[in-house]
Amino acid sequence: MQFKFYNFFVKLRFFCLLRAGDITSLFPKTICCFFKIIYTSINYSALSHSKFLQTFSMLDISVLSMVSKDITRNVVDYISTLAWKNKTIIQRFHQPSCLEQRSTIEHYRSLGLLFKRCTLLLPTKDRLKFILGRFSQVRKGQERGEASRDWCDLGLILIPLQTLIAGWDELECHRVFNFLCELTNLLQKIGAVITAKPGWHQELQLRLFCRQVLLDPQPNQLEHQFWLVQLLKPLPMVSQAHLLFILYGPLRPEGSLAWQDLVERGLPHSALWDLAKAILELFGQVEVKGWNTDSMLAVLEELTVIPQPWHVENIARLLVLCGSNLCYTVLASKALSGRLTEISRLIVYIVLVCEKDGYHMGWAVKLVQQISKVFSTVPEKLCFIQQLENMFSEVTREFFEFSVAGEVVQLSGE
């Protein structure tokens, strides 16, 4: 029965043209009058009763709201009632572990689509106020101390907003992001997590919130880039690096961030892959106002010393995963700054990573050739090559000494 009603109402948009007389010539006058009577009866009688609308899903109601202005008003009146908010928003809003429940997330996406279709004719500011008004009961409950506004609650406010702005231009999306920050104190919450000591449990809540609500669900790379840049831009360089690590850094088996593991030992490429993809997205977004190659290199520089300088193998592996362009840009920048010892050690470990992870060694050779062209004079190039040779010898000696020390420890243990 509900399916038949749904198909009927989808077709009502076509029948609405009858009111304007656009297609009356296609049908006999008696049939046109019949359709007008049906339309008027449903519009002003059935839709005025909430029990009638309760038989439809939110997606069905969202389709109805596009039929005409009159029906839109009836739908808006219906979803503005306290009973509807209690049923549709309040009860689902405070379910335990709600963010992890796919059905709840889909519910709020449908809610966002309903809001979007109900407000098609309103300006952006009014559309945002409309959504805020629908969640006002939730906010009042929080102010009375009935529920804390945790990351899960914030996520379920943001999901309808994301659905609302799908397909909007960047300027309108900026307005939505600013509205979001005012509504949820998002940037203040991020700042509190970033300035805390590494290992705080809120790190994982922030990661879960940003990844599952703002970033990962985005249908294309451009929208993903937009939200990631919006999260990072208001922060200073050090905090940007810190947030990047919280969002995309490697996790330990028990689920905590592997802060110290990056410092103490080399990690596999799978542990650094998400971080590399995020950096590549930002590197490809350097045309954004206030975001350029220098700022990206500064963030990367800060990232590899959080919480302490990383194991060189991890820096080398991250650069390899980021690809030729970014790897060359980072090393060339260091070369121009006269940091020969540092780039020589990095190159040695890049060769090691290529050997361990199965990359073609020709890629590393070509990289060294490109870096040598950064130096303008022959003596500078020879100095670079000599430094690289010395570093190969030094790292080889370090590995040998480490291997011998490990064997001695093993023998003493026996």
Side-chain angles (χ1 to χ4, degrees):
M1 185 67 177
Q2 183 174 337
F3 181 76
K4 292 181 180 179
F5 271 117
Y6 175 77
N7 285 309
F8 177 73
F9 282 118
V10 170
K11 296 173 184 176
L12 269 180
R13 184 62 182 165
F14 174 76
F15 297 146
C16 288
L17 297 174
L18 295 173
R19 299 183 70 188
D22 293 338
I23 54 173
T24 51
S25 59
L26 298 179
F27 302 99
K29 289 184 178 180
T30 54
I31 295 179
C32 292
C33 291
F34 173 71
F35 284 140
K36 287 182 180 180
I37 292 170
I38 292 177
Y39 171 82
T40 304
S41 175
I42 291 174
N43 189 21
Y44 296 107
S45 297
L47 291 181
S48 62
H49 297 288
S50 60
K51 289 184 179 180
F52 181 79
L53 288 172
Q54 286 174 7
T55 62
F56 297 96
S57 69
M58 271 195 294
L59 286 177
D60 295 343
I61 297 174
S62 71
V63 173
L64 275 176
S65 68
M66 296 188 293
V67 171
S68 74
K69 290 182 180 179
D70 295 327
I71 292 182
T72 300
R73 280 195 296 269
N74 285 324
V75 170
V76 169
D77 289 341
Y78 169 65
I79 66 176
S80 299
T81 62
L82 183 59
W84 183 86
K85 286 194 288 185
N86 284 335
K87 175 185 176 183
T88 310
I89 300 179
I90 308 296
Q91 292 179 8
R92 282 183 173 265
F93 203 83
H94 301 302
Q95 287 181 355
S97 303
C98 52
L99 195 59
E100 299 175 0
Q101 297 179 10
R102 180 177 294 272
S103 62
T104 302
I105 293 176
E106 289 303 318
H107 171 85
Y108 276 85
R109 285 183 182 149
S110 299
L111 188 63
L113 187 59
L114 173 60
F115 292 159
K116 183 173 187 173
R117 289 172 172 175
C118 283
T119 59
L120 283 174
L121 302 179
L122 298 178
T124 301
K125 189 174 182 180
D126 292 340
R127 299 181 86 173
L128 295 175
K129 285 182 177 179
F130 179 87
I131 291 184
L132 178 59
R134 304 291 81 75
F135 282 96
S136 61
Q137 189 71 20
V138 177
R139 299 181 69 202
K140 288 176 182 177
Q142 291 173 342
E143 289 167 5
R144 290 194 301 265
E146 294 175 3
S148 60
R149 186 183 299 175
D150 57 11
W151 291 109
C152 173
D153 291 347
L154 293 183
L156 295 181
I157 292 177
L158 289 176
I159 290 170
L161 280 175
Q162 280 189 311
T163 307
L164 176 70
I165 67 174
W168 289 13
D169 61 43
E170 190 168 324
L171 178 61
E172 295 297 314
C173 291
H174 276 293
R175 291 175 180 170
V176 172
F177 183 78
N178 293 334
F179 169 81
L180 257 172
C181 293
E182 293 176 8
L183 173 66
T184 64
N185 294 321
L186 177 60
L187 295 181
Q188 289 84 343
K189 289 177 177 291
I190 291 175
V193 175
I194 289 174
T195 54
K197 186 178 179 181
W200 190 30
H201 70 281
Q202 288 282 340
E203 291 172 351
L204 295 180
Q205 292 185 3
L206 172 59
R207 180 186 178 109
L208 181 69
F209 167 76
C210 290
R211 291 285 297 271
Q212 292 195 4
V213 177
L214 287 177
L215 300 171
D216 293 351
Q218 298 307 324
N220 58 64
Q221 187 179 14
L222 287 177
E223 292 189 21
H224 188 277
Q225 284 176 342
F226 169 80
W227 286 101
L228 183 55
V229 169
Q230 296 312 304
L231 290 171
L232 294 173
K233 276 179 65 176
L235 304 172
M237 295 294 178
V238 177
S239 297
Q240 288 181 16
H242 203 122
L243 180 58
L244 262 182
F245 189 93
I246 290 175
L247 296 180
Y248 295 102
L251 295 175
R252 305 189 73 182
E254 70 273 15
S256 61
L257 284 166
W259 293 99
Q260 203 60 32
D261 290 358
L262 282 166
V263 176
E264 296 174 351
R265 60 186 178 87
L267 299 182
H269 73 278
S270 57
L272 296 169
W273 179 232
D274 283 351
L275 191 57
K277 286 193 296 183
I279 291 170
L280 279 174
E281 277 196 11
L282 294 172
F283 189 69
Q285 192 75 356
V286 294
E287 70 275 6
V288 173
K289 184 178 180 181
W291 192 272
N292 52 44
T293 302
D294 290 338
S295 61
M296 184 64 248
L297 292 176
V299 170
L300 190 56
E301 189 82 18
E302 295 291 346
L303 179 66
T304 55
V305 295
I306 295 175
Q308 297 171 2
W310 289 9
H311 192 290
V312 185
E313 184 177 332
N314 290 323
I315 302 175
R317 182 166 281 112
L318 181 63
L319 291 177
V320 171
L321 289 172
C322 287
S324 301
N325 290 338
L326 184 55
C327 186
Y328 167 77
T329 302
V330 171
L331 294 178
S333 175
K334 293 180 184 293
L336 291 172
S337 301
R339 299 157 67 177
L340 291 185
T341 303
E342 184 179 349
I343 63 170
S344 297
R345 193 170 187 83
L346 266 175
I347 289 173
V348 171
Y349 273 88
I350 285 173
V351 172
L352 178 64
V353 167
C354 288
E355 177 64 25
K356 279 186 173 183
D357 296 352
Y359 294 98
H360 199 285
M361 201 59 68
W363 180 82
V365 173
K366 185 177 180 180
L367 180 66
V368 173
Q369 291 173 340
Q370 288 179 316
I371 298 299
S372 67
K373 295 177 182 178
V374 171
F375 303 101
S376 56
T377 65
V378 173
E380 288 177 334
K381 293 182 180 182
L382 291 175
C383 181
F384 166 64
I385 298 299
Q386 185 64 51
Q387 182 69 45
L388 190 57
E389 290 178 356
N390 294 337
M391 189 57 67
F392 266 106
S393 300
E394 182 178 332
V395 172
T396 302
R397 185 171 59 253
E398 288 176 0
F399 276 113
F400 176 74
E401 292 173 352
F402 181 78
S403 176
V404 171
E407 291 179 0
V408 171
V409 171
Q410 186 175 3
L411 288 172
S412 63
E414 294 175 354

